[in-house]
Amino acid sequence: MSRLHSRPSRPAALAGLFGALAAVLLVLVVFAWPPLRSFDTGIARTLHRWAHSFDGVTQVNRVLSDWVWDPWTMRALCAVVVVGLWVRGARRFAVLLAVTCTVGTLAQQALKSLVDKDRPQWQQPLDSAHYAAFPSGHAMTATVACGLLLWLLRRYGVTGAVWGAAVALASVSVIGVGLTRLWLGVHWPTDVLGGWLLGMLTVAVAVCVHQRVEARVDPTVAGDRGSSV
């Protein structure tokens, strides 16, 4: 009985934590808290100077950011998984993944419009980016995609070396894409942090919603498997 009632609270607790952190950061960004602006400016200037000094590293970052970890690459990966799940008959998972990715993208664009934070401006820019800065679309999209795919792998019982490799690859992708955006000078550190937090919040909320739906359909299955994140 305790298992049925305690385990499903974990995603809800994570959603509350990520939501609170994201809300605090959002308020500080909107009101342009001076210490946070100084932090953003200091990190951005240092990385921009390094990026101009190491052309090879900058080229690698450009390829990773614009192709490997681009939001459209992540969405295409999720689309392939959605089709695969649908064909296998796991339609509830397919719908969850498709809806969450869509909602996450819409929320991201809405926040960009509402916050309307300027991107870094440089005399010698290394890359270009459109729309407002906060939150980072690359960071948020990668977090949502990788987080949901890891959750699905766990739900399908993946463990051992395969699970370890998946976690490592997802971690490198999520952290790496944020660093590439900073290195290329198209985002402030708080933009990337906001993308990570909002992405984790999106995944946690999606898992909570799935748990509620699954609990109504089959309480036994929800208790045994629904809390895996």
Side-chain angles (χ1 to χ4, degrees):
M1 181 175 179
S2 60
R3 187 180 186 184
L4 289 175
H5 290 284
S6 62
R7 290 190 64 186
S9 65
R10 184 183 176 191
L14 290 174
L17 173 62
F18 296 141
L21 293 174
V24 170
L25 179 62
L26 178 61
V27 170
L28 295 178
V29 167
V30 168
F31 287 96
W33 191 45
L36 199 62
R37 291 184 62 185
S38 297
F39 170 78
D40 268 349
T41 302
I43 297 296
R45 286 177 177 173
T46 299
L47 290 177
H48 188 66
R49 184 172 62 252
W50 290 354
H52 274 289
S53 300
F54 301 97
D55 292 336
V57 176
T58 300
Q59 290 300 324
V60 171
N61 275 269
R62 187 174 287 113
V63 171
L64 291 172
S65 178
D66 295 345
W67 294 98
V68 179
W69 293 324
D70 181 77
W72 284 109
T73 302
M74 292 292 168
R75 290 168 190 145
L77 174 61
C78 288
V80 170
V81 175
V82 166
V83 173
L85 289 169
W86 190 271
V87 171
R88 288 170 58 92
R91 297 185 175 180
R92 197 181 305 160
F93 285 149
V95 171
L96 175 74
L97 181 56
V99 170
T100 303
C101 290
T102 301
V103 170
T105 299
L106 294 175
Q108 168 204 130
Q109 294 302 317
L111 275 173
K112 281 181 178 290
S113 298
L114 290 172
V115 177
D116 197 24
K117 182 183 178 184
D118 291 333
R119 291 179 183 269
Q121 300 294 321
W122 311 106
Q123 290 184 349
Q124 294 180 307
L126 293 164
D127 205 345
S128 61
H130 304 290
Y131 310 115
F134 185 92
S136 166
H138 281 67
M140 184 172 175
T141 303
T143 304
V144 171
C146 291
L148 287 174
L149 294 179
L150 282 178
W151 177 70
L152 285 170
L153 287 175
R154 203 62 166 173
R155 286 299 303 261
Y156 276 95
V158 174
T159 58
V162 175
W163 172 250
V167 171
L169 181 60
S171 300
V172 169
S173 297
V174 171
I175 296 173
V177 72
L179 296 180
T180 64
R181 303 307 282 168
L182 297 178
W183 186 269
L184 295 173
V186 293
H187 273 298
W188 305 103
T190 47
D191 303 336
V192 172
L193 179 58
W196 285 336
L197 288 173
L198 290 166
M200 290 185 285
L201 172 61
T202 302
V203 173
V205 170
V207 174
C208 288
V209 170
H210 175 77
Q211 285 182 348
R212 288 182 176 274
V213 172
E214 193 173 47
R216 291 181 180 180
V217 175
D218 188 341
T220 302
V221 174
D224 289 340
R225 302 171 59 195
S227 61
S228 298
V229 178

